[in-house]
Amino acid sequence: MRLLSLLVTVSLTLAVAYYIYTPLPDAIQQPWKLMMLDAYFRTAIHGLISESSPGPVPGVKVSDITFAGIPVRVYEPPAGGEGHLRRGLVYFHGGGWALGTTKKGTYDTINRMVSDELNTVVVSVEYRLYPEVHFPVPYLDCLAAAKHFLSPEVLAKYAIDPERVAVAGDSAGGNLAAAVAQESMSHQNNDSMSVKFSVQALIYPVLQALDFNTPSYVENQYMPILSRSFMIQFWVQYLNADLSLVPQFAVNNHSTLQHSAITPELRSRLDWNVLLPQKYKKNHKPLIVEKGSHGVLKKVPGLLDVRAAPLLAGPEVLAKCPRAYILTCEYDVLRDDGLMYARRLQDAGVTVTIAHYEDGFHGCFSFISWPLEFDVGKRALRGYLSWLQNNL
């Protein structure tokens, strides 16, 4: 009986260790903590956003209201400095357009910190998520809330300087922030959005869905928190496509040369062989398929829609975009999306600050408090706050 019990215990221990263990690069600090976090994420995917966080920041007033019918949480800094206008910031949370909330966990903590430390009115948008909705609904929710916030009447109500308003977001929220920033600066919106964003802060943003074989997608395809297959699944869900397409997307069969809609000009906008520095290209070769899945673009038109894929926007659109802060992590499938967007913005004449974390991984920005605390996360957050302090 004792032998049987021992065998069961050993078997369970080995099974748990096998489930948890993921080979990680040497540069990753606290690897076992990250492995356990990833195992938790895989077991209960709705745990993507850490709910462990410090207590409320004293003095910050928090209100759950609606902007143009969209639920938002507004953070107002402590009273003081009467007569002086304050900064404003709109934040879109991450979670693959399917997970997350601004009302608890790290997002709530970070927005309170921004409001308190930077004397900023922060509006965090509770846009609708999959499976309730698909693209373009989350984007339209975010745009509607941003338009409402940027109206002169609302800015005046909250005593915000119209020259100091930012838009920011992480991961899928970075995608939404980039898309909203582009739209807010376009000619079509000059009448409806007389106030423009002065800066944008994009935290490891996801920006395109045509090439899932960039160097960072290949190198980090099995990395914890956000693997390549997870990211493709999030895209397929967001664009209301059939999940059976995930394997086709993984080998770029959805963006073959036979698709005339993907013109050479369009391909150049995400040509990592041109847009990435050599240190990131290494010895990787572009995966360009001549013939693949037929009719994918007709079934999934969002693949070429710049509101879903901001990296595909033309140079004339990028040239109007606000100054940018783009945070990227070495061990992240989305690293090259951010780096390519930074290069394209710079080529269009936009001032860009690239904050690259050599020991960073996707999601680290959210892991800043015990027990899910990583030093790189705290450094990433401090860098974000510092940039906003100096540029907003």
Side-chain angles (χ1 to χ4, degrees):
M1 191 68 182
R2 287 183 178 179
L3 179 60
L4 178 61
S5 177
L6 178 62
L7 287 173
V8 170
T9 301
V10 170
S11 298
L12 286 173
T13 302
L14 291 174
V16 170
Y18 178 79
Y19 182 71
I20 292 176
Y21 181 74
T22 303
L24 294 175
D26 293 339
I28 295 290
Q29 298 179 12
Q30 303 163 286
W32 277 102
K33 182 186 286 188
L34 183 56
M35 289 180 210
M36 293 179 70
L37 183 63
D38 181 56
Y40 169 72
F41 172 48
R42 285 182 280 123
T43 304
I45 193 168
H46 289 280
L48 175 64
I49 306 305
S50 166
E51 294 187 14
S52 173
S53 58
V57 177
V60 173
K61 178 184 176 183
V62 178
S63 306
D64 291 318
I65 58 175
T66 61
F67 277 4
I70 309 301
V72 299
R73 172 164 281 196
V74 179
Y75 302 83
E76 297 178 65
E82 297 301 329
H84 295 283
L85 294 178
R86 305 179 289 191
R87 297 178 174 95
L89 183 143
V90 180
Y91 196 88
F92 307 131
H93 69 79
W97 307 284
L99 309 169
T101 176
T102 62
K103 295 185 177 181
K104 57 185 177 181
T106 311
Y107 289 129
D108 184 61
T109 300
I110 292 174
N111 287 328
R112 289 173 188 267
M113 291 175 65
V114 171
S115 181
D116 180 50
E117 294 187 23
L118 305 184
N119 191 34
T120 303
V121 176
V122 178
V123 174
S124 201
V125 181
E126 286 282 291
Y127 56 92
R128 286 170 287 177
L129 302 170
Y130 171 90
E132 178 191 352
V133 298
H134 307 274
F135 173 80
V137 175
Y139 162 79
L140 294 174
D141 283 356
C142 291
L143 182 63
K147 282 184 176 182
H148 182 88
F149 185 55
L150 288 175
S151 68
E153 297 78 17
V154 174
L155 294 178
K157 173 185 175 182
Y158 289 104
I160 296 170
D161 185 343
E163 300 294 324
R164 304 176 77 185
V165 186
V167 61
D170 67 293
S171 194
N175 166 284
L176 294 165
V180 168
Q182 288 181 5
E183 180 65 17
S184 70
M185 309 302 279
S186 69
H187 283 300
Q188 292 88 337
N189 276 304
N190 277 346
D191 293 334
S192 60
M193 300 178 74
S194 58
V195 178
K196 308 293 184 184
F197 290 114
S198 54
V199 300
Q200 57 182 321
L202 313 178
I203 312 300
Y204 33 70
V206 49
L207 299 166
Q208 59 86 26
L210 290 181
D211 188 356
F212 292 109
N213 286 273
T214 63
S216 62
Y217 264 113
V218 173
E219 292 169 8
N220 301 303
Q221 59 184 301
Y222 302 115
M223 272 296 291
I225 308 301
L226 187 67
S227 64
R228 176 166 66 177
S229 60
F230 260 141
M231 190 63 249
I232 296 174
Q233 180 179 330
F234 283 138
W235 264 118
V236 170
Q237 291 172 169
Y238 183 46
L239 298 178
N240 199 20
D242 194 302
L243 286 173
S244 66
L245 290 174
V246 169
Q248 298 296 317
F249 280 34
V251 292
N252 287 1
N253 273 352
H254 63 304
S255 56
T256 62
L257 291 176
Q258 70 185 16
H259 293 304
S260 59
I262 309 177
T263 63
E265 165 63 22
L266 198 60
R267 290 186 188 277
S268 72
R269 297 175 185 176
L270 68 156
D271 184 355
W272 58 261
N273 208 30
V274 172
L275 297 171
L276 290 181
Q278 182 58 45
K279 66 175 290 190
Y280 300 111
K281 292 189 290 185
K282 299 175 183 174
N283 295 319
H284 293 281
K285 302 295 181 185
L287 178 59
I288 301 175
V289 182
E290 289 193 15
K291 294 183 179 180
S293 303
H294 291 282
V296 174
L297 294 181
K298 288 184 178 179
K299 295 177 183 176
V300 196
L303 287 166
L304 301 184
D305 194 320
V306 296
R307 299 174 302 169
L311 184 60
L312 300 182
E316 71 285 352
V317 173
L318 300 185
K320 298 183 179 70
C321 284
R323 284 176 294 135
Y325 174 85
I326 299 179
L327 185 153
T328 57
C329 293
E330 182 67 18
Y331 303 108
D332 180 4
V333 293
L334 301 179
R335 179 195 71 198
D336 296 344
D337 279 26
L339 293 174
M340 286 191 288
Y341 196 54
R343 168 67 185 276
R344 291 205 57 225
L345 285 170
Q346 288 172 329
D347 288 350
V350 177
T351 300
V352 180
T353 298
I354 303 172
H356 183 71
Y357 289 85
E358 294 288 349
D359 57 341
F361 55 90
H362 193 84
C364 66
F365 186 76
S366 292
F367 303 127
I368 56 170
S369 57
W370 190 89
L372 305 178
E373 179 181 10
F374 289 83
D375 178 67
V376 66
K378 293 191 290 186
R379 282 185 278 119
L381 173 58
R382 189 48 53 188
Y384 166 73
L385 292 170
S386 178
W387 187 84
L388 288 174
Q389 175 74 58
N390 296 324
N391 292 274
L392 178 58

